[in-house]
Amino acid sequence: MKRKVNKKQGWLWVLAVMAIVLLAVGANYFLQVDLSARTTQGKQAYNDNCASCHGVNLTGTGQGPSFIHPVYVPSHHSDASFYRAIANGVRAHHWRFGDMPPIAGVTKAEAEDIIAYIRQQQREGGIK
């Protein structure tokens, strides 16, 4: 005998399976992607210079916001704004984490790689 499932039950089933998968493999699994050489270097530079405040996998900390947030969509925060923040620091304007100091020692090439990594991770996280 075939059991009939209504749409609401179907969606509940889908959500339950998704929750189990997230618990089993961890939400960060879904942010892991096949990285190009540039973004691989960017990830390393990000981890060395940015992750202590902005979190591993761009998830934020008590010291800085997540970059996987709609406020960092490229049309609102361009790549140039990331360059300026790295080179010059930036005054707090969206969050209450305080001002960001300049990040000493990050070269222009490293900044390009960091930004490439951030943008790639944002695309994977639905920020386009």
Side-chain angles (χ1 to χ4, degrees), residues 2-21:
K2 194 173 184 180
R3 183 175 176 208
K4 190 173 181 180
V5 177
N6 67 34
K7 287 183 181 182
K8 185 176 179 181
Q9 289 172 325
W11 279 109
L12 290 173
W13 174 251
V14 169
L15 291 174
V17 169
M18 288 173 61
I20 291 167
V21 170

Side-chain angles (χ1 to χ4, degrees), residues 32-48:
Q32 301 302 316
V33 292
D34 184 27
L35 301 176
S36 69
R38 165 159 260 169
T39 55
T40 299
Q41 293 170 342
K43 180 177 183 177
Q44 184 61 53
Y46 173 87
N47 286 337
D48 292 344

Side-chain angles (χ1 to χ4, degrees), residues 54 62-65 89-101:
H54 293 284
Q63 294 180 272
V90 64
R91 295 185 60 113
H93 57 285
H94 287 295
W95 314 105
R96 296 179 188 249
F97 295 102
D99 296 343
M100 178 184 148

